[in-house]
């Protein structure tokens, strides 16, 4: 059986990518937080789509140092590419990636030259997508929305470190680029589930990788070449955030963060999101995740010299609020 | 046309359904088919719709809409369900020697079934295409307990074997099928890693006739790094089986450099003799590279012979070698007069000389379930 991790092609790619990654490792990673206290009208759960789009635009312009959102998006995707939007729908309508956010993204992607037929919204299961308010659709001329149970998995194992998994064909074959859309929330086993862990939705066996707080599994899964190479941007839906009881939706432990956290560096995003959750836990008089033996140590693993997926060093994270 | 191993496995698995072997089987299962979903046994309800699984020592704490490590059980709104009851992904008729059982009705056939999922993740798994996937990721057929028993009876199999993946994770189906089998005179033999809690094991032993345990190594380090499990609960399970007088055999897959030291063989043999007795069959089996352990070679024959020599010298009476067709250590020898009492070549039994479970030459009783 072919071992992806050791193929000549992958080795070559890894060698070529290494200097770039090393350079990135040395420079600061920008994490942009776009918040709007009026994102929802007072006492309402209804999100103002216009304000959400503006928050997204501010974040993108800041992240890419551009004068217009369109210019920023053109640096993310190119016409002709098939762009995947990896949502996180495990928590149903309560706290999954917002449909409104995905609609805003689709609007900007189309303006950047990506036609509807080249946009694919995907997650693990059709059932999860539907429960979060998405309509499963596979028409080739429209925006597609499919679970891995429809798109299927590769036959051959992809292997890196502790991870040996079959990858969703959504990421291996369908999409040229992926925009990762996690939710800002706590995780009862892994500590938090943000950008890195959202890629568990790209493999067939996530249930095997929750032991030891997901460390090093989360980092190892992200190292699988199609994930590492195709995910270009992370937009964490922090409109409603959850500081305890995740990944299921537990309304008593959510709060209206009213924001988006956007980064190219998944480790920096995860570190930043984790600190936001810890701060909220502290405000609520709850124990730190470390005390509960679920500190997300996989974030540090993702940053180590073996993985180099980004930085978890706060001195190297440029946190920008817009 | 040559077939690679994966294609062969797919073809072989489905041939049981499509080739007329199992005419009672219905159409391939649909995803999330309600027929397969039955409330699980052995779990504890926790606040906020969480549950704690009490079937295997892992004790997964599982959120609503999430699954345990095995991937075959799911929390739905605070109630835990098995997703694999009657959801058979592999069905074959095998010689019982293939399991292997050597002291359990030799020369008979076992109607062998599996569902998807497993509660460990062995890096050398030969059946990872069904054991390391979720139920909806592999084609399955609906084979309820009574139908399974009837199919086994129709094809002349005196036993149903629960094998290939991990029967512990399809516990509810296993118990129901074993009961259905007994109702029509079919016995049940379980092939397991033995990673199960005490209470479910004790209850299981009330329903089945024999259990073969894959004791994968004799070190916690190996269990932690290669199996993703623990050794101690498996040893505890073997002791429980012994106390309950469940017929048990042990297989030890010998993997070069990982679990093949003299010291480990000796410790294993001593533990078996002291805790289970010298009459428990111990099979040292040859490793073949697969799944996540392709970087190691097959086990050299002399390693297996070294393991057997050590176990013999420690006083175990029935030490076999597996996956080495034609080797003399496939046969059963009388521990007293040393003559062959069951002669085997590969999975084929050439001669059974036992008379009422005794050596025909010296009348030494040979423990097991012989049917003669």
């Amino acid at each position: 059986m072919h071992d992806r991790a050791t193929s000549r092609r992958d080795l070559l790619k890894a060698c070529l990518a290494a200097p770039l990654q090393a350079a990135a490792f040395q420079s600061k990673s920008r994490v942009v937080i776009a918040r709007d206290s009026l994102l929802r009208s007072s006492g309402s759960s209804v999100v103002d789509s216009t304000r959400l789009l503006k928050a997204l635009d501010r974040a993108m312009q800041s992240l890419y140092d551009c004068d217009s959102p369109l210019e920023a998006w053109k640096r993310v995707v190119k016409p002709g590419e098939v762009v995947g939007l990896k949502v996180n729908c495990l928590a149903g309508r309560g706290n999954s990636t917002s449909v409104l956010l995905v609609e805003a993204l689709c609007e900007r992607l189309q303006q950047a030259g990506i036609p509807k037929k080249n946009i694919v919204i995907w997650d693990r299961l059709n059932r999860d997508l539907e429960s979060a308010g998405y309509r499963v659709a596979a028409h080739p001329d429209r925006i597609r929305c499919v679970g891995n149970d429809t798109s299927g998995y590769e036959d051959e194992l992809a292997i890196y470190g502790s991870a040996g998994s079959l990858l969703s064909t959504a990421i291996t074959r369908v999409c040229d680029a992926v925009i990762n859309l996690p939710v800002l929330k706590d995780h009862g086993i892994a500590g938090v589930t943000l950008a890195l862990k959202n890629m568990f939705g790209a493999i067939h066996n996530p249930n095997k990788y929750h032991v030891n707080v997901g460390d090093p599994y989360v980092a190892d899964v992200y190292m699988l070449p199609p994930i590492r190479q195709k995910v270009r941007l992370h937009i964490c839906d922090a409109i409603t955030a959850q500081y305890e009881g995740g990944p299921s939706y537990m309304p008593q432990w959510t709060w209206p963060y009213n924001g988006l956290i956007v980064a190219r560096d998944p480790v920096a995003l995860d570190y930043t999101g984790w600190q936001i959750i810890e701060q909220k836990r502290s405000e609520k008089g709850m124990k730190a995740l470390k005390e509960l033996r679920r500190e997300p140590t996989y974030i540090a693993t993702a940053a180590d010299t073996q993985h180099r997926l980004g930085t978890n060093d706060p001195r190297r994270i440029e946190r920008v609020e817009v | 046309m040559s077939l690679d191993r994966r294609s062969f496995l797919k073809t072989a698995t489905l041939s049981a359904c499509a080739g007329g072997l199992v005419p009672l089987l219905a159409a391939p299962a649909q995803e999330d088919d309600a027929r397969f979903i039955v409330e699980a046994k052995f779990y504890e309800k926790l606040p906020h719709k969480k549950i704690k699984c009490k079937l295997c020592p892992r004790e997964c704490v599982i959120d609503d809409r999430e699954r345990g490590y095995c991937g075959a059980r799911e929390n739905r709104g605070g109630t835990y369900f098995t997703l694999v009851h009657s959801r058979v992904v592999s069905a074959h008729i095998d010689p019982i020697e293939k399991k292997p059982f050597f002291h359990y009705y030799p020369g008979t056939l076992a109607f062998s079934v599996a569902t998807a999922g497993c509660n460990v993740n062995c890096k050398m798994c030969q059946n990872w295409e069904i054991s390391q996937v979720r139920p909806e990721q592999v084609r399955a057929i609906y084979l309820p307990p009574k139908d399974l028993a009837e199919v086994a009876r129709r094809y002349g199999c005196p036993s149903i074997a629960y094998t290939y993946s991990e029967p512990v994770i399809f516990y509810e189906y296993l118990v129901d099928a074993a009961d259905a089998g007994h109702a029509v005179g079919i016995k049940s033999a379980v092939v397991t890693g033995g990673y199960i809690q005490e209470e479910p094991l004790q209850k299981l032993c009330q329903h089945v006739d024999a259990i073969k345990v894959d004791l994968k190594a004799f070190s916690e380090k190996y269990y932690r790094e290669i199996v993703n499990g623990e050794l101690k609960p498996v040893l505890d399970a073997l002791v429980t089986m012994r106390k309950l007088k469940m017929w048990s055999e042990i297989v030890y897959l010998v993997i070069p450099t990982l679990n093949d030291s003299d010291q480990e063989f000796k410790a294993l043999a001593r533990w078996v003799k002291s805790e289970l007795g010298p009459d428990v069959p111990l099979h040292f089996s040859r490793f073949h590279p697969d799944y996540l352990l392709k970087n190691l070679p097959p086990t050299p024959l002399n390693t297996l012979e070294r393991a057997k020599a050590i176990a013999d010298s420690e006083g175990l009476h029935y030490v076999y070698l597996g996956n080495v067709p034609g080797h003399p250590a496939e046969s059963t020898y009388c521990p007293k007069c040393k003559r062959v009492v069951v002669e085997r070549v590969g999975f084929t039994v050439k001669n059974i000389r036992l008379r009422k479970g005794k050596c025909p030459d010296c009348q030494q009783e040979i423990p097991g379930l012989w049917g003669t």
Side-chain angles (χ1 to χ4, degrees):
Chain A
M1 209 169 289
H2 180 61
D3 180 344
R4 288 174 182 280
T6 55
S7 75
R8 190 184 157 278
R9 184 180 178 81
D10 287 337
L11 180 67
L12 197 62
K13 279 183 179 174
C15 291
L16 290 171
L20 295 173
Q21 287 177 341
F25 200 59
Q26 298 300 320
S27 61
K28 279 199 168 189
S29 287
R30 183 176 293 182
V31 177
V32 179
I33 301 176
R35 297 181 75 180
D36 181 350
S37 60
L38 299 177
L39 202 56
R40 283 179 283 209
S41 52
S42 180
S44 168
S45 62
V46 179
V47 173
D48 183 327
S49 58
T50 305
R51 298 191 82 97
L52 180 62
L53 183 60
K54 285 180 178 172
L56 176 65
D57 286 346
R58 286 200 306 277
M60 289 298 292
Q61 286 179 241
S62 174
L63 184 65
Y64 287 92
D65 278 327
C66 293
D67 293 331
S68 77
L70 188 58
E71 191 183 336
W73 281 109
K74 284 183 175 176
R75 292 174 62 178
V76 180
V77 295
K78 293 182 176 64
E81 289 184 322
V82 176
V83 179
L85 305 179
K86 169 61 181 75
V87 291
N88 185 308
C89 297
L90 182 67
R93 284 182 187 270
N95 202 11
S96 296
T97 308
S98 161
V99 174
L100 287 178
L101 173 60
V102 170
E103 285 176 355
L105 272 167
C106 290
E107 185 179 330
R108 286 293 180 255
L109 286 172
Q110 288 173 70
Q111 289 167 353
I114 308 297
K116 285 182 178 178
K117 67 176 185 176
N118 283 357
I119 299 174
V120 182
I121 302 159
W122 61 279
D123 201 1
R124 295 187 317 168
L125 300 169
N126 288 339
R127 182 189 73 183
D128 288 353
L129 286 160
E130 287 169 343
S131 72
Y134 294 88
R135 186 186 298 168
V136 172
H139 194 289
D141 294 331
R142 298 178 188 158
I143 293 174
R144 285 169 279 172
C145 180
V146 291
N148 294 336
D149 45 344
T150 292
S151 51
Y153 293 91
E154 293 290 341
D155 283 343
E156 303 296 325
L157 280 170
I159 299 170
Y160 182 89
S162 64
S165 297
L166 303 177
L167 283 160
S168 165
T169 57
I171 196 161
T172 57
R173 299 183 190 205
V174 177
C175 300
D176 301 306
V178 172
I179 298 169
N180 187 19
L181 300 166
V183 175
L184 180 62
K185 62 180 178 177
D186 168 85
H187 192 286
I189 299 171
V192 296
T193 173
L194 300 165
L196 291 164
K197 191 173 175 301
N198 197 33
M199 282 302 128
F200 271 18
I203 58 173
H204 84 294
N205 56 350
N207 46 301
K208 298 297 183 190
Y209 299 150
H210 283 82
V211 291
N212 194 39
V213 207
D215 188 14
Y217 305 100
V218 176
D220 285 350
V221 166
Y222 201 95
M223 288 294 284
L224 298 174
I227 296 175
R228 200 178 65 229
Q229 292 161 0
K230 290 189 179 181
V231 180
R232 295 185 186 168
L233 175 65
H234 309 271
I235 302 175
C236 180
D237 179 344
I239 301 168
T240 299
Q242 186 168 326
Y243 57 90
E244 172 69 11
S248 300
Y249 175 50
M250 297 285 172
Q252 67 271 38
W253 290 313
T254 62
W255 86 102
Y257 189 78
N258 291 326
L260 301 174
I261 308 172
V262 184
R264 280 172 289 187
D265 177 341
V267 185
L269 190 151
D270 276 20
Y271 180 84
T272 304
W274 169 30
Q275 298 311 309
I276 292 169
I277 288 171
E278 290 281 21
Q279 185 181 339
K280 193 66 182 179
R281 293 179 64 84
S282 175
E283 287 171 18
K284 294 289 182 181
M286 303 185 91
K287 289 181 177 175
L289 295 174
K290 186 174 185 176
E291 289 181 70
L292 299 171
R293 295 183 182 177
R294 53 187 180 99
E295 179 186 11
T297 53
Y298 64 80
I299 296 174
T301 300
D304 69 17
T305 51
Q306 189 181 344
H307 294 81
R308 293 181 183 268
L309 290 169
T311 182
N312 69 330
D313 181 348
R315 294 167 301 180
R316 289 185 174 162
I317 297 173
E318 182 190 9
R319 180 169 160 160
V320 178
E321 302 208 11
V322 294
Chain B
M1 184 185 75
S2 64
L3 285 175
D4 63 20
R5 194 182 153 276
R6 182 176 175 82
S7 303
F8 172 76
L9 190 72
K10 278 184 176 175
T11 306
T13 299
L14 293 173
S15 71
C17 320
L21 180 63
V22 191
L24 292 178
L25 303 183
Q30 299 300 305
E31 188 249 326
D32 210 22
D33 192 318
R35 290 177 298 180
F36 307 123
I37 300 171
V38 173
E39 184 172 358
K41 300 178 190 290
F42 308 110
Y43 75 96
E44 179 185 339
K45 294 196 176 195
L46 301 177
H48 309 298
K49 296 183 181 176
K50 292 189 179 194
I51 67 94
K52 179 189 276 188
C53 183
K54 306 285 278 186
L55 178 58
C56 98
R58 197 175 292 281
E59 293 201 335
C60 295
V61 174
I62 303 162
D63 272 55
D64 186 20
R65 299 164 59 92
E66 289 272 43
R67 295 188 193 176
Y69 187 89
C70 63
R73 292 164 174 265
E74 186 169 283
N75 179 351
R76 294 187 173 185
T79 302
Y80 203 34
F81 292 94
T82 169
L83 308 178
V84 293
H85 195 288
S86 307
R87 191 174 197 158
V88 170
V89 298
S90 190
H92 302 269
I93 294 172
D94 290 334
I96 197 72
E97 284 73 18
K98 190 177 175 184
K99 305 298 124 188
F101 278 106
F102 277 13
H103 290 228
Y104 173 91
Y105 303 106
T108 64
L109 297 173
F111 196 90
S112 306
V113 292
T115 74
C118 185
N119 59 351
V120 292
N121 185 9
C122 301
K123 290 185 175 176
M124 66 291 192
C125 186
Q126 299 280 314
N127 292 327
W128 67 269
E129 292 98 332
I130 58 171
S131 70
Q132 301 303 325
V133 300
R134 293 178 167 218
E136 68 275 14
Q137 292 167 350
V138 59
R139 286 191 68 192
I141 52 174
Y142 178 58
L143 189 56
K146 284 185 180 175
D147 290 358
L148 171 56
E150 175 56 26
V151 172
R153 190 192 62 77
R154 183 176 298 182
Y155 284 97
C157 300
S159 300
I160 299 167
Y162 309 88
T163 180
Y164 305 132
S165 56
E166 175 48 66
V168 167
I169 64 94
F170 59 89
Y171 187 99
E172 294 79 6
Y173 178 49
L174 160 56
V175 166
D176 290 348
D179 289 350
H182 284 145
V184 294
I186 305 293
K187 297 184 184 305
S188 278
V190 179
V191 177
T192 175
Y195 196 47
I196 183 172
Q197 291 208 17
E198 175 82 8
E199 185 190 355
L201 174 60
Q202 287 197 7
K203 291 186 174 167
L204 178 67
C205 288
Q206 296 168 13
H207 296 269
V208 302
D209 301 280
I211 301 178
K212 190 220 81 178
V213 174
D214 286 309
L215 182 56
K216 297 165 194 287
F218 204 66
S219 80
E220 287 288 359
K221 181 174 185 288
Y222 180 101
Y223 263 83
R224 192 169 55 249
E225 295 176 358
I226 306 298
V227 177
N228 288 291
E230 304 163 88
L231 171 62
K232 186 176 182 305
V234 179
L235 299 181
D236 291 345
L238 280 162
V239 171
T240 297
M241 290 174 209
R242 180 68 176 171
K243 285 179 182 168
L244 296 174
K245 301 188 186 325
M246 171 59 52
W247 181 254
S248 308
E249 303 192 21
I250 297 171
V251 166
Y252 185 103
L253 182 71
V254 182
I255 303 183
T257 73
L258 296 182
N259 64 355
D260 63 346
S261 70
D262 286 3
Q263 187 182 13
E264 193 163 354
F265 292 146
K266 186 173 287 189
L268 164 72
R270 286 183 175 177
W271 183 88
V272 170
K273 187 180 179 187
S274 68
E275 300 298 322
L276 309 178
D279 290 335
V280 174
L282 175 59
H283 306 249
F284 288 108
S285 193
R286 187 178 211 175
F287 160 78
H288 176 79
D290 205 333
Y291 190 38
L292 305 176
L293 268 189
K294 292 182 181 171
N295 57 325
L296 294 174
T299 318
L301 180 57
N302 61 10
T303 302
L304 295 170
E305 290 175 332
R306 176 166 51 85
K308 176 172 165 51
I310 290 171
D312 284 341
S313 70
E314 290 296 328
L316 298 188
H317 291 161
Y318 306 100
V319 182
Y320 299 99
L321 298 188
N323 294 340
V324 283
H327 195 282
E330 290 180 316
S331 293
T332 303
Y333 298 83
C334 172
K336 187 176 173 187
C337 71
K338 310 298 181 192
R339 290 186 175 138
V340 173
V341 290
V342 181
E343 183 185 359
R344 301 180 186 84
V345 176
F347 300 140
T348 304
V349 173
K350 306 288 282 187
N351 190 13
I352 302 175
R353 298 182 60 240
L354 290 165
R355 296 291 177 265
K356 295 183 179 176
K358 293 181 178 176
C359 171
D361 301 313
C362 70
Q363 304 305 306
Q364 170 72 28
E365 190 168 336
I366 310 295
L369 303 171
W370 301 109
T372 61

